[in-house]
Amino acid sequence: MTSPTEVRFGLDTFGDVTTDAAGNPVTQAQTIRDVVEEAALADSVGLDAFSVGEHHRKEFAISSPDMVLAAAASLTQRIRLGTAVTVLSSDDPVRVYERFATLDALSHGRAEITLGRGSFIESFPLFGYDLSDYEVLFEEKLELFHLLTREEPVTWRGTTRAALENADVFPKTANGFPVWVGVGGSPESVVRTARYGFGLMLAIIGGAPARFRPYVDLFHRSLESFGHPTSPVGVHSPGHIAETDQQAWDEMYPAMEANRNAIGAERGWPPYSRLQFQHDVGPEGAVFAGSPETVARKIADTITTLGLDRFDLKYANGTMPHETMMRSIELYGRQVVPRVRELLAG
């Protein structure tokens, strides 16, 4: 783990379609505009990173993360702008790299990207990919993306797209941009990330964060075996902050319940309950919700236990109103993060 002053703190959202104060759904267009406003607030309260996910379904408004991030770049000054995640398997690595190199130029070197296979599969049939190729698509495209990060002519051959022969890609960046891989807990995915020397972003959305320590250890051993001196480890987990624990829980639960049950109906999950939620916000759960002090202590414990370089709070969790999330962002930046740094220093 880096020193307390060097640990970075970010916010993640999938652009969950929200409701207004009266409980009426807002449009996807308004949700996207709200996300850009949330990014601007995250920048103003001193957070280090703001990331948006890619989805292609009605619950989430963001299907083109780089477009949203480009808009955020024009309203922010210092915060890094990235994804959570970009579904590389159903996209073209060359176009992805060109888009984020363009974002890097627009943001004066603040772009980053987190690549993933996709826990949601809607993009595969939408863009003409066969789910039976799920593994090979990501393996080959990640290899090609890694070659592109060198920013020199690429020669590559695979089975999932046309070969490249001494192909150059533009625009060039000033200093490259950070690349992470989103991993849900597969040892094979951890080792693959280490092979390329990319950052490891662990999506911890269930269970005790401490159970992911073996994956962190595996990552560091694998980096060493592949000859990479170091690469950062981060965690992405859901949460919400309000003035008190009870307020945070009461605000978060209805939105999270609606979101979980909508997705769970497709995947065969049992209905989400308040009892399960209260377990999830406790010490053995992966939800970071409560007062600033409660959330800060849980984040500090997770950072210490896993030896993290970065923690990203997924602050959007279902239909929670924009104004409520804005208050959560403000508390995260102004109270939680400074308190976490105090606890880590102590």
Side-chain angles (χ1 to χ4, degrees):
M1 187 183 76
T2 57
S3 71
T5 57
E6 294 175 333
V7 176
R8 296 292 176 254
F9 296 89
L11 286 169
D12 296 348
T13 177
F14 297 161
D16 306 50
V17 176
T18 61
T19 58
D20 61 21
N24 302 309
V26 303
T27 65
Q28 291 191 334
Q30 184 59 51
T31 297
I32 291 171
R33 292 189 288 269
D34 289 344
V35 167
V36 174
E37 186 179 355
E38 289 154 13
L41 176 60
D43 185 56
S44 72
V45 299
L47 294 170
D48 300 301
F50 187 87
S51 302
V52 300
E54 173 194 349
H55 289 83
H56 303 270
R57 51 184 295 136
K58 64 181 180 181
E59 293 91 352
F60 307 111
I62 298 174
S63 59
S64 181
D66 47 292
M67 292 289 289
V68 177
L69 295 170
S74 67
L75 298 178
T76 56
Q77 298 296 321
R78 56 169 297 278
I79 198 166
R80 297 205 69 89
L81 300 168
T83 53
V85 300
T86 294
V87 185
L88 186 65
S89 304
S90 56
D91 210 329
D92 182 79
V94 175
R95 293 293 292 135
V96 172
Y97 197 85
E98 288 177 336
R99 295 199 302 264
F100 279 83
T102 301
L103 174 65
D104 197 64
L106 290 171
S107 63
H108 295 272
R110 292 185 286 126
E112 62 180 24
I113 189 169
T114 301
L115 304 170
R117 293 185 295 178
S119 60
F120 290 82
I121 59 173
E122 288 82 6
S123 64
F124 289 82
L126 188 64
F127 299 120
Y129 291 97
D130 191 333
L131 272 173
S132 65
D133 296 328
Y134 186 82
E135 294 291 342
V136 69
L137 281 166
F138 189 65
E139 186 70 58
E140 288 194 358
K141 292 185 177 187
L142 190 64
E143 177 189 42
L144 176 54
F145 195 90
H146 176 252
L147 294 174
L148 293 166
T149 63
R150 300 174 181 175
E151 298 202 345
E152 57 189 34
V154 170
T155 296
W156 177 90
R157 281 174 175 76
T159 63
T160 56
R161 59 147 289 153
L164 297 175
E165 188 71 38
N166 205 37
D168 217 350
V169 173
F170 305 98
K172 304 297 184 184
T173 66
N175 299 294
F177 51 81
V179 180
W180 301 75
V181 175
V183 173
S186 153
E188 294 79 10
S189 296
V190 171
V191 173
R192 177 169 49 212
T193 303
R195 181 187 309 137
Y196 296 114
F198 293 150
L200 177 71
M201 183 60 72
L202 292 166
I204 302 181
I205 59 175
R211 69 188 178 92
F212 281 77
R213 181 70 212 199
Y215 296 106
V216 176
D217 295 338
L218 174 62
F219 182 63
H220 290 307
R221 292 196 305 270
S222 300
L223 283 172
E224 185 177 3
S225 71
F226 289 122
H228 299 298
T230 187
S231 205
V233 177
V235 158
H236 152 109
S237 286
H240 175 63
I241 306 153
E243 277 68 12
T244 68
D245 288 349
Q246 194 65 51
Q247 180 184 347
W249 299 339
D250 290 345
E251 288 175 347
M252 185 179 188
Y253 174 70
M256 194 167 180
E257 178 193 36
N259 178 265
R260 287 282 186 93
N261 286 344
I263 296 168
E266 300 174 5
R267 300 189 175 189
W269 299 345
Y272 196 60
S273 69
R274 186 66 186 245
L275 184 63
Q276 180 62 50
F277 174 78
Q278 292 303 148
H279 173 270
D280 291 343
V281 300
E284 296 302 310
V287 178
F288 292 72
S291 68
E293 181 68 16
T294 295
V295 174
R297 287 188 175 278
K298 190 168 181 177
I299 291 174
D301 182 65
T302 300
I303 290 171
T304 303
T305 300
L306 298 181
L308 299 179
D309 304 284
R310 176 153 154 193
F311 181 88
D312 279 12
L313 184 76
K314 181 180 175 290
Y315 71 93
N317 301 280
T319 55
M320 189 181 297
H322 168 60
E323 293 76 12
T324 304
M325 291 190 290
M326 290 285 277
R327 179 58 177 157
S328 180
I329 291 170
E330 186 173 10
L331 289 171
Y332 181 59
R334 298 195 188 282
Q335 296 188 33
V336 173
V337 170
R339 180 60 175 144
V340 173
R341 294 196 191 281
E342 288 180 0
L343 292 167
L344 294 177

